[in-house]
Amino acid sequence: MIDRSSRKKIRLENRDYSMNGAYFITICTKDRFPYLSEIIDAPENVGAAALGRPWVRLTEIGGIVDKNILLINEKYEFASVPKYIIMPDHIHMILNISEPQNDEHGGRPRAASPTKNVSLIVNALKTISTKQIGFSIWQRSYYDHIIRGEGEFAEIWRYIENNPENHANNIFNQNLWR
């Protein structure tokens, strides 16, 4: 039996994770097994090949996860994923939480949506993917970082974009962007 009281708390205690903002999320596979993709040399017909950059080729499981990440933008009116990468054994994404653009309530405050919460969205992604795959591939929990400003947002965006190259160069530090 797992003693949950001894587990390290990884969320900020006084942070409301339904607050508007951008969050850098990392979700890892169980035992870091490479279920999701493989890093290969870019095919000749891809522009990245000219730059000598590695390419991410999704596995069947990675394809399922990819479709579910894209569904976040459609399913949740308060959430969007403007940038993500599916690596062999983890996913990096920027998850934006915000009010919808068109206010149907004439400017009146609306009740908080039960899905306007980082944990619920990440857990839903993991749960639906697990059901579609047929078994759980996920490590318990996930890593999050509240993005504090445009400079940090741009730095994390670049980190996500360059992650295949970093992986190919054996740079496994999850927080290299800091």
Side-chain angles (χ1 to χ4, degrees), residues 119-150:
S119 292
L120 291 175
I121 293 168
V122 171
N123 289 333
L125 170 66
K126 291 167 75 172
T127 299
I128 192 69
S129 296
T130 296
K131 286 180 181 178
Q132 293 171 351
I133 294 164
F135 60 96
S136 178
I137 63 166
W138 304 113
Q139 178 177 304
R140 181 176 46 223
S141 198
Y142 61 94
Y143 170 82
D144 70 73
H145 172 80
I146 302 160
I147 300 174
R148 297 172 179 94
E150 289 179 33

mmCIF file of all heavy atoms in Angstrom, residues 119-150:
data_model
loop_
_atom_site.group_PDB
_atom_site.id
_atom_site.type_symbol
_atom_site.label_atom_id
_atom_site.label_comp_id
_atom_site.label_asym_id
_atom_site.label_seq_id
_atom_site.Cartn_x
_atom_site.Cartn_y
_atom_site.Cartn_z
ATOM 1 N N SER A 119 -5.420 20.335 -13.689
ATOM 2 C CA SER A 119 -5.381 18.920 -13.304
ATOM 3 C C SER A 119 -6.486 18.111 -13.970
ATOM 4 O O SER A 119 -6.250 16.993 -14.430
ATOM 5 C CB SER A 119 -5.494 18.764 -11.783
ATOM 6 O OG SER A 119 -4.344 19.254 -11.160
ATOM 7 N N LEU A 120 -7.683 18.662 -14.013
ATOM 8 C CA LEU A 120 -8.792 17.926 -14.630
ATOM 9 C C LEU A 120 -8.557 17.708 -16.123
ATOM 10 O O LEU A 120 -8.865 16.642 -16.655
ATOM 11 C CB LEU A 120 -10.112 18.666 -14.407
ATOM 12 C CG LEU A 120 -10.621 18.682 -12.971
ATOM 13 C CD1 LEU A 120 -11.866 19.557 -12.858
ATOM 14 C CD2 LEU A 120 -10.911 17.281 -12.480
ATOM 15 N N ILE A 121 -8.007 18.704 -16.794
ATOM 16 C CA ILE A 121 -7.744 18.575 -18.230
ATOM 17 C C ILE A 121 -6.644 17.553 -18.490
ATOM 18 O O ILE A 121 -6.786 16.679 -19.354
ATOM 19 C CB ILE A 121 -7.414 19.947 -18.846
ATOM 20 C CG1 ILE A 121 -8.663 20.844 -18.795
ATOM 21 C CG2 ILE A 121 -6.903 19.799 -20.276
ATOM 22 C CD1 ILE A 121 -8.401 22.294 -19.098
ATOM 23 N N VAL A 122 -5.557 17.622 -17.731
ATOM 24 C CA VAL A 122 -4.462 16.660 -17.903
ATOM 25 C C VAL A 122 -4.940 15.250 -17.576
ATOM 26 O O VAL A 122 -4.669 14.296 -18.319
ATOM 27 C CB VAL A 122 -3.237 17.048 -17.053
ATOM 28 C CG1 VAL A 122 -2.193 15.938 -17.055
ATOM 29 C CG2 VAL A 122 -2.633 18.347 -17.564
ATOM 30 N N ASN A 123 -5.677 15.112 -16.476
ATOM 31 C CA ASN A 123 -6.181 13.781 -16.106
ATOM 32 C C ASN A 123 -7.171 13.243 -17.128
ATOM 33 O O ASN A 123 -7.193 12.041 -17.395
ATOM 34 C CB ASN A 123 -6.777 13.803 -14.703
ATOM 35 C CG ASN A 123 -5.704 13.952 -13.640
ATOM 36 O OD1 ASN A 123 -4.556 13.562 -13.846
ATOM 37 N ND2 ASN A 123 -6.053 14.539 -12.517
ATOM 38 N N ALA A 124 -7.980 14.110 -17.714
ATOM 39 C CA ALA A 124 -8.908 13.673 -18.764
ATOM 40 C C ALA A 124 -8.132 13.183 -19.986
ATOM 41 O O ALA A 124 -8.485 12.158 -20.586
ATOM 42 C CB ALA A 124 -9.847 14.805 -19.145
ATOM 43 N N LEU A 125 -7.072 13.900 -20.364
ATOM 44 C CA LEU A 125 -6.229 13.474 -21.482
ATOM 45 C C LEU A 125 -5.650 12.086 -21.218
ATOM 46 O O LEU A 125 -5.692 11.203 -22.077
ATOM 47 C CB LEU A 125 -5.102 14.487 -21.709
ATOM 48 C CG LEU A 125 -4.001 14.058 -22.683
ATOM 49 C CD1 LEU A 125 -4.545 13.924 -24.103
ATOM 50 C CD2 LEU A 125 -2.836 15.043 -22.645
ATOM 51 N N LYS A 126 -5.122 11.882 -20.017
ATOM 52 C CA LYS A 126 -4.536 10.597 -19.668
ATOM 53 C C LYS A 126 -5.599 9.489 -19.628
ATOM 54 O O LYS A 126 -5.371 8.379 -20.119
ATOM 55 C CB LYS A 126 -3.814 10.705 -18.328
ATOM 56 C CG LYS A 126 -2.547 11.563 -18.416
ATOM 57 C CD LYS A 126 -1.992 11.950 -17.066
ATOM 58 C CE LYS A 126 -1.289 10.836 -16.369
ATOM 59 N NZ LYS A 126 -0.586 11.304 -15.141
ATOM 60 N N THR A 127 -6.769 9.798 -19.073
ATOM 61 C CA THR A 127 -7.829 8.799 -18.931
ATOM 62 C C THR A 127 -8.385 8.367 -20.284
ATOM 63 O O THR A 127 -8.505 7.169 -20.561
ATOM 64 C CB THR A 127 -8.967 9.347 -18.040
ATOM 65 O OG1 THR A 127 -8.420 9.632 -16.750
ATOM 66 C CG2 THR A 127 -10.107 8.348 -17.922
ATOM 67 N N ILE A 128 -8.723 9.319 -21.148
ATOM 68 C CA ILE A 128 -9.298 8.955 -22.445
ATOM 69 C C ILE A 128 -8.276 8.227 -23.303
ATOM 70 O O ILE A 128 -8.598 7.275 -24.009
ATOM 71 C CB ILE A 128 -9.920 10.165 -23.180
ATOM 72 C CG1 ILE A 128 -10.771 9.714 -24.374
ATOM 73 C CG2 ILE A 128 -8.870 11.139 -23.664
ATOM 74 C CD1 ILE A 128 -12.027 9.000 -24.012
ATOM 75 N N SER A 129 -7.015 8.654 -23.231
ATOM 76 C CA SER A 129 -5.967 7.957 -23.986
ATOM 77 C C SER A 129 -5.810 6.524 -23.485
ATOM 78 O O SER A 129 -5.680 5.594 -24.281
ATOM 79 C CB SER A 129 -4.631 8.709 -23.867
ATOM 80 O OG SER A 129 -4.728 9.981 -24.454
ATOM 81 N N THR A 130 -5.838 6.338 -22.172
ATOM 82 C CA THR A 130 -5.724 4.994 -21.593
ATOM 83 C C THR A 130 -6.858 4.101 -22.075
ATOM 84 O O THR A 130 -6.626 2.954 -22.466
ATOM 85 C CB THR A 130 -5.717 5.077 -20.047
ATOM 86 O OG1 THR A 130 -4.543 5.784 -19.645
ATOM 87 C CG2 THR A 130 -5.732 3.702 -19.412
ATOM 88 N N LYS A 131 -8.076 4.626 -22.089
ATOM 89 C CA LYS A 131 -9.230 3.835 -22.551
ATOM 90 C C LYS A 131 -9.074 3.442 -24.014
ATOM 91 O O LYS A 131 -9.368 2.325 -24.403
ATOM 92 C CB LYS A 131 -10.529 4.613 -22.346
ATOM 93 C CG LYS A 131 -10.950 4.682 -20.903
ATOM 94 C CD LYS A 131 -12.235 5.460 -20.734
ATOM 95 C CE LYS A 131 -12.608 5.529 -19.270
ATOM 96 N NZ LYS A 131 -13.814 6.316 -19.031
ATOM 97 N N GLN A 132 -8.593 4.361 -24.840
ATOM 98 C CA GLN A 132 -8.447 4.079 -26.268
ATOM 99 C C GLN A 132 -7.275 3.138 -26.548
ATOM 100 O O GLN A 132 -7.339 2.330 -27.469
ATOM 101 C CB GLN A 132 -8.280 5.384 -27.041
ATOM 102 C CG GLN A 132 -9.534 6.235 -27.012
ATOM 103 C CD GLN A 132 -9.318 7.624 -27.576
ATOM 104 O OE1 GLN A 132 -8.202 8.048 -27.861
ATOM 105 N NE2 GLN A 132 -10.413 8.365 -27.727
ATOM 106 N N ILE A 133 -6.220 3.234 -25.757
ATOM 107 C CA ILE A 133 -5.046 2.375 -25.931
ATOM 108 C C ILE A 133 -5.329 0.974 -25.396
ATOM 109 O O ILE A 133 -4.888 -0.018 -25.976
ATOM 110 C CB ILE A 133 -3.814 2.996 -25.230
ATOM 111 C CG1 ILE A 133 -3.412 4.297 -25.933
ATOM 112 C CG2 ILE A 133 -2.639 2.013 -25.174
ATOM 113 C CD1 ILE A 133 -2.465 5.185 -25.122
ATOM 114 N N GLY A 134 -6.058 0.891 -24.287
ATOM 115 C CA GLY A 134 -6.395 -0.400 -23.700
ATOM 116 C C GLY A 134 -5.608 -0.727 -22.441
ATOM 117 O O GLY A 134 -5.893 -1.711 -21.766
ATOM 118 N N PHE A 135 -4.624 0.084 -22.114
ATOM 119 C CA PHE A 135 -3.855 -0.083 -20.876
ATOM 120 C C PHE A 135 -3.203 1.255 -20.556
ATOM 121 O O PHE A 135 -3.052 2.102 -21.430
ATOM 122 C CB PHE A 135 -2.806 -1.198 -20.986
ATOM 123 C CG PHE A 135 -1.772 -0.973 -22.065
ATOM 124 C CD1 PHE A 135 -0.541 -0.399 -21.765
ATOM 125 C CD2 PHE A 135 -2.025 -1.349 -23.386
ATOM 126 C CE1 PHE A 135 0.408 -0.197 -22.763
ATOM 127 C CE2 PHE A 135 -1.076 -1.153 -24.380
ATOM 128 C CZ PHE A 135 0.146 -0.577 -24.069
ATOM 129 N N SER A 136 -2.799 1.417 -19.299
ATOM 130 C CA SER A 136 -2.211 2.683 -18.888
ATOM 131 C C SER A 136 -0.736 2.739 -19.254
ATOM 132 O O SER A 136 0.019 1.822 -18.963
ATOM 133 C CB SER A 136 -2.368 2.886 -17.385
ATOM 134 O OG SER A 136 -1.746 4.108 -17.008
ATOM 135 N N ILE A 137 -0.344 3.826 -19.879
ATOM 136 C CA ILE A 137 1.063 4.046 -20.220
ATOM 137 C C ILE A 137 1.666 5.158 -19.374
ATOM 138 O O ILE A 137 2.840 5.467 -19.520
ATOM 139 C CB ILE A 137 1.223 4.412 -21.714
ATOM 140 C CG1 ILE A 137 0.524 5.732 -22.035
ATOM 141 C CG2 ILE A 137 0.729 3.283 -22.595
ATOM 142 C CD1 ILE A 137 0.901 6.339 -23.370
ATOM 143 N N TRP A 138 0.868 5.756 -18.476
ATOM 144 C CA TRP A 138 1.264 7.003 -17.839
ATOM 145 C C TRP A 138 1.884 6.827 -16.471
ATOM 146 O O TRP A 138 1.427 6.041 -15.659
ATOM 147 C CB TRP A 138 0.064 7.937 -17.713
ATOM 148 C CG TRP A 138 -0.584 8.204 -19.016
ATOM 149 C CD1 TRP A 138 -1.832 7.801 -19.401
ATOM 150 C CD2 TRP A 138 -0.032 8.908 -20.133
ATOM 151 N NE1 TRP A 138 -2.082 8.226 -20.675
ATOM 152 C CE2 TRP A 138 -0.996 8.904 -21.154
ATOM 153 C CE3 TRP A 138 1.185 9.538 -20.353
ATOM 154 C CZ2 TRP A 138 -0.782 9.506 -22.374
ATOM 155 C CZ3 TRP A 138 1.396 10.136 -21.589
ATOM 156 C CH2 TRP A 138 0.418 10.117 -22.572
ATOM 157 N N GLN A 139 2.887 7.644 -16.215
ATOM 158 C CA GLN A 139 3.447 7.801 -14.874
ATOM 159 C C GLN A 139 2.416 8.553 -14.045
ATOM 160 O O GLN A 139 1.648 9.359 -14.582
ATOM 161 C CB GLN A 139 4.731 8.610 -14.997
ATOM 162 C CG GLN A 139 5.431 8.922 -13.704
ATOM 163 C CD GLN A 139 6.729 9.679 -13.997
ATOM 164 O OE1 GLN A 139 7.561 9.197 -14.744
ATOM 165 N NE2 GLN A 139 6.866 10.863 -13.423
ATOM 166 N N ARG A 140 2.396 8.304 -12.761
ATOM 167 C CA ARG A 140 1.470 9.018 -11.887
ATOM 168 C C ARG A 140 1.816 10.507 -11.902
ATOM 169 O O ARG A 140 2.985 10.881 -11.962
ATOM 170 C CB ARG A 140 1.583 8.467 -10.471
ATOM 171 C CG ARG A 140 0.633 9.143 -9.510
ATOM 172 C CD ARG A 140 0.663 8.541 -8.136
ATOM 173 N NE ARG A 140 2.009 8.315 -7.659
ATOM 174 C CZ ARG A 140 2.393 7.221 -7.023
ATOM 175 N NH1 ARG A 140 1.537 6.251 -6.802
ATOM 176 N NH2 ARG A 140 3.633 7.100 -6.599
ATOM 177 N N SER A 141 0.820 11.344 -11.888
ATOM 178 C CA SER A 141 0.937 12.790 -11.822
ATOM 179 C C SER A 141 1.568 13.377 -13.095
ATOM 180 O O SER A 141 1.567 12.741 -14.148
ATOM 181 C CB SER A 141 1.722 13.219 -10.569
ATOM 182 O OG SER A 141 1.481 14.579 -10.304
ATOM 183 N N TYR A 142 2.071 14.582 -12.996
ATOM 184 C CA TYR A 142 2.688 15.288 -14.111
ATOM 185 C C TYR A 142 3.425 16.488 -13.526
ATOM 186 O O TYR A 142 3.256 16.839 -12.364
ATOM 187 C CB TYR A 142 1.655 15.751 -15.146
ATOM 188 C CG TYR A 142 0.625 16.700 -14.593
ATOM 189 C CD1 TYR A 142 0.801 18.074 -14.682
ATOM 190 C CD2 TYR A 142 -0.524 16.229 -13.953
ATOM 191 C CE1 TYR A 142 -0.127 18.951 -14.144
ATOM 192 C CE2 TYR A 142 -1.449 17.098 -13.415
ATOM 193 C CZ TYR A 142 -1.250 18.454 -13.514
ATOM 194 O OH TYR A 142 -2.158 19.321 -12.980
ATOM 195 N N TYR A 143 4.262 17.105 -14.339
ATOM 196 C CA TYR A 143 4.990 18.299 -13.927
ATOM 197 C C TYR A 143 4.300 19.508 -14.528
ATOM 198 O O TYR A 143 3.869 19.468 -15.682
ATOM 199 C CB TYR A 143 6.439 18.225 -14.427
ATOM 200 C CG TYR A 143 7.198 19.507 -14.247
ATOM 201 C CD1 TYR A 143 7.787 19.833 -13.025
ATOM 202 C CD2 TYR A 143 7.316 20.421 -15.286
ATOM 203 C CE1 TYR A 143 8.472 21.027 -12.851
ATOM 204 C CE2 TYR A 143 8.005 21.614 -15.123
ATOM 205 C CZ TYR A 143 8.571 21.910 -13.908
ATOM 206 O OH TYR A 143 9.241 23.090 -13.743
ATOM 207 N N ASP A 144 4.174 20.577 -13.746
ATOM 208 C CA ASP A 144 3.663 21.830 -14.305
ATOM 209 C C ASP A 144 4.508 22.994 -13.832
ATOM 210 O O ASP A 144 5.152 22.931 -12.790
ATOM 211 C CB ASP A 144 2.188 22.062 -13.936
ATOM 212 C CG ASP A 144 1.995 22.381 -12.469
ATOM 213 O OD1 ASP A 144 2.335 23.496 -12.036
ATOM 214 O OD2 ASP A 144 1.492 21.505 -11.737
ATOM 215 N N HIS A 145 4.514 24.018 -14.644
ATOM 216 C CA HIS A 145 5.185 25.273 -14.311
ATOM 217 C C HIS A 145 4.288 26.399 -14.804
ATOM 218 O O HIS A 145 3.855 26.391 -15.958
ATOM 219 C CB HIS A 145 6.558 25.351 -14.986
ATOM 220 C CG HIS A 145 7.208 26.681 -14.828
ATOM 221 N ND1 HIS A 145 7.874 27.046 -13.669
ATOM 222 C CD2 HIS A 145 7.271 27.753 -15.647
ATOM 223 C CE1 HIS A 145 8.320 28.289 -13.808
ATOM 224 N NE2 HIS A 145 7.973 28.736 -14.994
ATOM 225 N N ILE A 146 3.998 27.340 -13.942
ATOM 226 C CA ILE A 146 3.200 28.498 -14.322
ATOM 227 C C ILE A 146 4.108 29.435 -15.103
ATOM 228 O O ILE A 146 5.154 29.847 -14.607
ATOM 229 C CB ILE A 146 2.629 29.204 -13.084
ATOM 230 C CG1 ILE A 146 1.769 28.220 -12.278
ATOM 231 C CG2 ILE A 146 1.839 30.446 -13.482
ATOM 232 C CD1 ILE A 146 1.551 28.624 -10.843
ATOM 233 N N ILE A 147 3.728 29.748 -16.323
ATOM 234 C CA ILE A 147 4.547 30.605 -17.181
ATOM 235 C C ILE A 147 4.304 32.052 -16.779
ATOM 236 O O ILE A 147 3.178 32.527 -16.770
ATOM 237 C CB ILE A 147 4.228 30.363 -18.670
ATOM 238 C CG1 ILE A 147 4.511 28.895 -19.021
ATOM 239 C CG2 ILE A 147 5.037 31.313 -19.554
ATOM 240 C CD1 ILE A 147 4.113 28.494 -20.427
ATOM 241 N N ARG A 148 5.385 32.732 -16.458
ATOM 242 C CA ARG A 148 5.305 34.088 -15.898
ATOM 243 C C ARG A 148 5.861 35.113 -16.878
ATOM 244 O O ARG A 148 6.959 35.608 -16.683
ATOM 245 C CB ARG A 148 6.064 34.141 -14.588
ATOM 246 C CG ARG A 148 5.485 33.240 -13.520
ATOM 247 C CD ARG A 148 6.398 33.184 -12.303
ATOM 248 N NE ARG A 148 5.855 32.351 -11.264
ATOM 249 C CZ ARG A 148 6.144 31.071 -11.105
ATOM 250 N NH1 ARG A 148 6.968 30.467 -11.942
ATOM 251 N NH2 ARG A 148 5.611 30.387 -10.121
ATOM 252 N N GLY A 149 5.131 35.398 -17.911
ATOM 253 C CA GLY A 149 5.536 36.470 -18.811
ATOM 254 C C GLY A 149 5.858 35.990 -20.219
ATOM 255 O O GLY A 149 6.069 34.809 -20.476
ATOM 256 N N GLU A 150 5.904 36.978 -21.114
ATOM 257 C CA GLU A 150 6.126 36.689 -22.540
ATOM 258 C C GLU A 150 7.504 36.121 -22.812
ATOM 259 O O GLU A 150 7.663 35.255 -23.671
ATOM 260 C CB GLU A 150 5.923 37.963 -23.364
ATOM 261 C CG GLU A 150 4.484 38.400 -23.443
ATOM 262 C CD GLU A 150 4.329 39.671 -24.250
ATOM 263 O OE1 GLU A 150 5.102 39.887 -25.216
ATOM 264 O OE2 GLU A 150 3.416 40.449 -23.929
#
